[in-house]
Amino acid sequence: MPEDICTNAGSFLQSLFQSAGLELRVAVHETATECLLDLSGPDAGLLQAEGGELLQAVQHLANQAFGRKLADGQRLVCDVEGFRATREAELRAMAKHAADRVRASGSPFVFGEMNSNERRIIHLTLAESADLQTESVGEGADRKLKVSLKRS
């Protein structure tokens, strides 16, 4: 039953945190498109450090264990105290700023290294721009995102 997958993923993470001696709680919120594992507690700051690197790793681990079992069109997302929503708003603002710079200068803008989720947010933010194109450049963890004018 797909509805149990999200709960099982939450229990898995809760057990993992307890075993690691981390004071974190997992709240499970499920919709038709998302299995959100919302993490909170005294050790929440650890997950937000370094741009959310550990949060990304926890999400990757949960996706490896449970992602394939989710219903079609549903994705597993881990968040900690609204960190992802704040980061997403920040990335959208950065995308709009980069778009303005590219339009004003005509020169491409290349963001620093970003994980796949962050690049995806910028791609989606600028996807409707008729005059701009985005592309990921580089390899592996060194991938960056380039915004440039579309060639006519």
Side-chain angles (χ1 to χ4, degrees):
M1 295 176 123
E3 63 273 1
D4 295 328
I5 303 303
C6 199
T7 302
N8 290 345
S11 298
F12 167 76
L13 287 185
Q14 190 67 66
S15 173
L16 178 72
F17 296 146
Q18 284 175 318
S19 297
L22 295 172
E23 288 189 59
L24 291 166
R25 290 175 302 286
V26 181
V28 177
H29 307 285
E30 188 170 10
T31 66
T33 58
E34 189 173 76
C35 168
L36 174 65
L37 304 175
D38 200 12
L39 315 173
S40 61
D43 289 329
L46 294 171
L47 298 172
Q48 297 174 29
E50 303 295 324
E53 232 174 67
L54 185 56
L55 178 62
Q56 187 73 15
V58 167
Q59 179 172 304
H60 180 76
L61 183 63
N63 266 300
Q64 289 300 309
F66 297 95
R68 289 181 206 81
K69 300 173 188 169
L70 290 172
D72 282 347
Q74 195 177 39
R75 52 186 223 135
L76 191 146
V77 177
C78 293
D79 197 3
V80 58
E81 298 177 345
F83 176 80
R84 283 202 186 275
T86 302
R87 181 67 176 148
E88 191 168 320
E90 192 177 89
L91 288 165
R92 289 185 190 285
M94 289 166 53
K96 289 180 172 114
H97 175 73
D100 291 343
R101 279 187 54 181
V102 170
R103 287 179 179 123
S105 71
S107 299
F109 181 91
V110 180
F111 286 93
E113 296 168 3
M114 293 182 162
N115 65 49
S116 59
N117 190 52
E118 291 179 333
R119 290 192 313 272
R120 179 179 171 274
I121 290 166
I122 292 177
H123 281 303
L124 291 173
T125 300
L126 299 178
E128 300 297 315
S129 302
D131 59 335
L132 299 174
Q133 64 184 18
T134 60
E135 65 179 311
S136 292
V137 294
E139 296 294 322
D142 296 332
R143 287 182 75 91
K144 300 175 182 182
L145 189 120
K146 180 169 113 177
V147 180
S148 56
L149 291 173
K150 278 187 181 167
R151 297 181 197 102
S152 20

